[in-house]
């Protein structure tokens, strides 16, 4: 452990960070469900905070091109995204974004747009926004979770069916907006290693709903985004997220899995590829269980034996550690699990 700390102290002398934070919003409204909403007033405060504190808001395509070419972006870069194509993004959100000249992305479900609901953006509105520089990207044809394979269907058949619908959704977006980025946001943030491979085979990059900053080595099938709707919409919380650094952590074997039966997973191990932190200051928290005990296996692997069985539902393990080279900034990594109910039934969406 002393060797690791010494390496960290040496490494920080020549380290140049690359960190981009992607913010995930849904509604900009006070009349919609709180868990997916931020008020226009609070959203305005978020955007003003970005401007006042010299953050560089970039288009999602700029970030992806940077990763593709392995070229760094300005420090304190931020990407703004919305899920689900709600009308209030246009009526309440866009005027605030336009005031600051901030680019943004909307992930949409074409079949929901086709319903022509008064609560969702229309194709005409989306085309106008696309012509104005807004990126329109793929959230699946419908908002169905890809991990929930129907009873009696094999995983291979399920993914084959979803290949058709994903590509159809991309084609529909292209036909109606003139854009085809092959960016895909997982509905409900649910995915598995098999789905990651499927995304890659279909030449998409995919975005999740677990926390973390983005770096040049980020896995492009699980690009993290920070949810910033209620109750995580306070400026103090936003500040911590905006100052996050990408934690270069990888998973191998069973540790990559995300879907488990009740009590099936009892521990997880992480491979760490960055030295710019003191191992004694690494802390990991599992939703519903709190802070976990960390056991180092040498200098590059640490293991968590859960303090109790993982609870049912969407579970996260958030690991953070303060940077040695950039005081006030934290490495941040989030590992998701999707834990089934008893009798291997899925929890409600």
């Amino acid at each position: 452990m002393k060797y690791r700390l010494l390496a960290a102290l040496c490494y920080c002398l020549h380290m140049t960070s690359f960190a981009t934070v992607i913010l995930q919003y849904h509604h900009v409204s006070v009349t919609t469900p709180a868990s997916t909403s931020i008020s226009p007033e609070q959203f305005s405060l978020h955007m003003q905070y970005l401007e006042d504190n010299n953050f560089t808001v970039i288009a999602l395509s700029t970030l992806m091109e940077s990763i593709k070419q392995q070229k760094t972006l300005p420090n304190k870069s931020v990407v703004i995204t919305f899920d689900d194509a709600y009308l209030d993004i246009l009526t309440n959100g866009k005027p605030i974004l336009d005031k600051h000249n901030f680019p943004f992305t909307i992930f949409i479900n074409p079949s929901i747009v086709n319903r022509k609901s008064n609560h969702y953006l229309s194709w005409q509105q989306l085309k106008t926004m696309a012509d104005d520089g807004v990126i329109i990207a793929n959230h699946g044809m419908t908002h169905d979770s890809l991990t929930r394979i129907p009873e009696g269907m094999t995983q291979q058949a399920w993914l084959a069916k979803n290949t058709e619908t994903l590509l159809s959704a991309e084609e529909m977006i292209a036909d109606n907006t003139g854009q085809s980025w092959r960016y895909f946001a997982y509905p409900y943030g649910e995915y598995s290693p098999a789905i990651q491979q499927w995304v890659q085979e279909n030449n998409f990059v995919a975005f999740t709903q677990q926390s973390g900053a983005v770096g040049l080595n980020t896995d492009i099938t699980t690009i993290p985004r920070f949810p910033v709707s209620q109750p995580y919409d306070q400026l103090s919380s936003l500040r911590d997220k905006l100052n996050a650094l990408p934690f270069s952590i990888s998973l191998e074997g069973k540790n990559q899995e995300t879907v488990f039966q009740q009590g099936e997973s009892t521990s997880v191990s992480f491979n760490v590829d960055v030295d710019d932190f003191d191992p004694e200051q690494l802390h990991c928290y599992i939703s519903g269980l709190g802070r976990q005990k960390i056991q180092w296996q040498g200098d590059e692997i640490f293991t968590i034996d859960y303090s109790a069985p993982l609870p049912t539902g969407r579970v996260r393990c958030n690991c953070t550690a303060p940077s040695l080279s950039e005081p006030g900034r934290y490495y941040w990594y989030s590992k998701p699990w999707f834990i089934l109910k008893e009798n291997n039934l899925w929890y409600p969406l």
Side-chain angles (χ1 to χ4, degrees):
M1 205 59 69
K2 290 182 179 179
Y3 168 77
R4 183 180 176 82
L5 181 56
L6 178 61
L9 291 170
C10 294
Y11 181 74
C12 72
L13 295 176
H14 58 80
M15 175 186 165
T16 301
S17 67
F18 170 92
T20 298
V21 166
I22 304 178
L23 302 178
Q24 181 209 22
Y25 298 94
H26 287 82
H27 287 286
V28 184
S29 174
V30 295
T31 62
T32 47
S35 62
T36 55
S37 301
I38 184 171
S39 71
E41 292 76 16
Q42 193 68 11
F43 184 68
S44 181
L45 289 177
H46 280 203
M47 299 305 104
Q48 191 63 49
Y49 184 89
L50 293 175
E51 182 169 307
D52 291 345
N53 290 275
N54 300 314
F55 286 91
T56 301
V57 179
I58 60 174
L60 183 58
S61 56
T62 301
L63 171 60
M64 298 317 303
E65 189 64 23
S66 174
I67 293 176
K68 179 181 178 180
Q69 297 183 7
Q70 290 292 287
K71 293 183 179 180
T72 60
L73 289 168
N75 194 21
K76 300 173 68 174
S77 294
V78 177
V79 172
I80 297 169
T81 67
F82 294 88
D83 285 3
D84 302 338
Y86 294 115
L87 180 61
D88 52 64
I89 298 170
L90 173 62
T91 57
N92 296 336
K94 191 173 186 296
I96 297 169
L97 290 157
D98 288 347
K99 173 185 174 182
H100 298 278
N101 197 30
F102 288 166
F104 62 99
T105 294
I106 307 176
F107 290 98
I108 72 167
N109 307 104
S111 69
I112 296 178
V113 175
N114 282 343
R115 295 175 192 170
K116 300 181 180 179
S117 166
N118 292 333
H119 301 295
Y120 288 86
L121 293 162
S122 67
W123 282 120
Q124 182 177 356
Q125 290 167 325
L126 287 165
K127 177 64 166 69
T128 300
M129 296 171 79
D131 291 344
D132 197 30
V134 177
I135 289 177
I136 310 300
N138 202 329
H139 201 21
M141 180 65 79
T142 62
H143 203 279
D144 294 333
S145 170
L146 293 175
T147 60
R148 303 179 182 222
I149 303 174
E151 187 175 355
M153 182 176 284
T154 66
Q155 180 172 265
Q156 183 178 6
W158 174 244
L159 291 179
K161 177 182 178 181
N162 277 282
T163 297
E164 294 181 14
T165 58
L166 181 68
L167 295 178
S168 294
E170 190 71 16
E171 183 178 0
M172 197 174 296
I173 292 170
D175 289 344
N176 286 280
T177 70
Q179 297 186 6
S180 179
W181 298 96
R182 298 182 90 88
Y183 301 158
F184 173 56
Y186 294 118
Y188 305 102
E190 295 179 352
Y191 66 91
S192 67
I195 292 170
Q196 290 177 253
Q197 182 178 349
W198 169 80
V199 164
Q200 192 170 31
E201 289 171 351
N202 283 282
N203 196 30
F204 279 78
V205 296
F207 301 83
T208 66
Q209 293 184 18
Q210 75 257 21
S211 304
V214 181
L216 292 179
N217 296 322
T218 296
D219 185 338
I220 61 171
T221 66
T222 53
I223 299 174
R225 296 184 294 165
F226 278 107
V228 279
S229 298
Q230 297 180 54
Y232 310 110
D233 62 338
Q234 297 304 302
L235 288 182
S236 57
S237 176
L238 178 68
R239 179 194 62 224
D240 293 340
K241 294 169 182 176
L242 291 171
N243 285 308
L245 295 169
F247 220 154
S248 293
I249 287 178
S250 58
L251 303 169
E252 297 180 354
K254 194 72 171 179
N255 298 300
Q256 300 177 71
E257 297 295 335
T258 57
V259 180
F260 287 98
Q261 300 174 17
Q262 188 67 241
E264 181 182 7
S265 177
T266 59
S267 68
V268 64
S269 294
F270 302 90
N271 294 22
V272 184
D273 301 319
V274 62
D275 290 324
D276 183 43
F277 69 97
D278 180 350
E280 295 182 358
Q281 292 186 301
L282 172 67
H283 299 305
C284 295
Y285 297 81
I286 294 179
S287 48
L289 303 184
R291 183 174 168 181
Q292 300 295 292
K293 183 178 179 180
I294 294 170
Q295 298 177 346
W296 282 95
Q297 319 294 326
D299 292 326
E300 298 178 350
I301 299 175
F302 69 89
T303 298
I304 297 172
D305 294 319
Y306 314 145
S307 59
L310 297 177
T312 297
R314 300 185 191 96
V315 182
R316 300 285 187 270
C317 178
N318 288 329
C319 294
T320 61
S323 166
L324 294 173
S325 65
E326 297 192 54
R329 303 190 74 178
Y330 281 74
Y331 290 96
W332 194 318
Y333 178 86
S334 182
K335 157 70 178 173
W337 295 282
F338 312 111
I339 308 300
L340 305 181
K341 300 194 304 181
E342 293 182 3
N343 301 320
N344 300 330
L345 298 175
W346 278 97
Y347 50 85
L349 289 170

